[in-house]
Amino acid sequence: TTGESWHTEQIDYEDERIRGAFEVFAFRTAPGTMAALFLDIAERKRDEKALRESEEQYRLLVENAGDGIIIAQDGTVLFANRRATQMAGFENPGEVTGRSMLEFIHPEDHALVLNRHVRRLRGEAVPSTYPLRMLRKDGTSFWTQLNAVKIEWKGRTATLNFIRDIGEQKRFEEQLAAAERLRSIGTLAGGIAHD
């Protein structure tokens, strides 16, 4: 009646599933006449819903992972999950993203990480999992195990890095080594005493 065109989407649900969906366009073709176009968009709406659900599932997995997850490209951190942010001593992932990945790696391990990172991006076979020391915001270091893989991120080569804090494991290994040394000294002392 106003002569303005009209557009809407009509979606019918059944048990939270999309049963049918239409996109409707209506417009006046001449005084007293109108045309309406109905497009079946049910499949597109189902795909959009499935994509949203899938994205939500992956977001939940990544954000609640026990390991830190970082995506690095051109030496810069592009993505960090909540655990990686906490491991580095920050509260907000935005404080970590956009920074050089070397800011979070102990200076003595820079050469090792850079060498493997560059070689991995070239497609060379390098160990994907290895221990290294990382740095927290306050400058303290901690032992981690890095598992890095080459990926495509937004059309360019990057690395997907899984970081596990192995500080407790390292302390246990040091205690075990100290106990082994004491046992060796005890064995040696016992042998000397026997002689």
Side-chain angles (χ1 to χ4, degrees):
T1 58
T2 65
E4 293 179 23
S5 60
W6 179 72
H7 171 250
T8 190
E9 287 183 356
Q10 180 65 42
I11 304 172
D12 293 324
Y13 291 94
E14 183 177 307
D15 299 326
E16 296 185 15
R17 292 187 355 227
I18 295 174
R19 189 178 70 184
F22 293 93
E23 191 168 15
V24 183
F25 297 91
F27 50 94
R28 185 176 2 191
T29 56
T33 62
M34 66 164 272
L37 176 64
F38 292 82
L39 298 174
D40 185 349
I41 58 169
E43 193 62 36
R44 184 182 87 199
K45 289 296 179 182
R46 285 186 200 104
D47 291 345
E48 288 172 359
K49 184 178 182 214
L51 180 60
R52 278 192 308 275
E53 289 171 353
S54 176
E55 287 173 348
E56 178 64 16
Q57 288 172 343
Y58 283 109
R59 188 188 67 73
L60 284 170
L61 287 172
V62 168
E63 284 306 316
N64 294 298
D67 291 346
I69 300 173
I70 289 177
I71 295 175
Q73 191 176 63
D74 300 327
T76 302
V77 176
L78 297 183
F79 171 84
N81 73 342
R82 184 180 309 136
R83 180 68 181 127
T85 302
Q86 291 168 346
M87 289 169 77
F90 293 92
E91 293 180 23
N92 180 354
E95 296 176 273
V96 175
T97 57
R99 297 178 116 163
S100 168
M101 65 182 192
L102 292 180
E103 287 184 46
F104 305 102
I105 298 170
H106 193 282
E108 293 177 16
D109 292 338
H110 280 187
L112 169 72
V113 172
L114 281 175
N115 176 287
R116 290 187 177 178
H117 180 73
V118 168
R119 290 175 55 205
R120 181 172 293 105
L121 292 179
R122 283 191 211 136
E124 295 179 28
V126 293
S128 61
T129 304
Y130 58 95
L132 70 111
R133 289 164 294 177
M134 297 190 74
L135 296 175
R136 292 186 182 93
K137 180 181 180 179
D138 64 7
T140 59
S141 66
F142 62 105
W143 278 100
T144 65
Q145 180 169 312
L146 176 71
N147 182 358
V149 293
K150 179 179 165 182
I151 63 167
E152 288 294 316
W153 183 259
K154 297 184 180 178
R156 296 181 37 232
T157 304
T159 57
L160 174 60
N161 305 276
F162 298 93
I163 303 162
R164 178 168 290 166
D165 186 335
I166 58 169
E168 190 68 31
Q169 177 184 333
K170 281 289 187 183
R171 283 188 289 282
F172 178 72
E173 289 172 1
E174 288 169 4
Q175 290 173 353
L176 184 60
E180 285 293 320
R181 284 192 299 274
L182 286 175
R183 190 171 70 103
S184 297
I185 290 170
T187 302
L188 179 63
I192 291 171
H194 179 73
D195 288 346

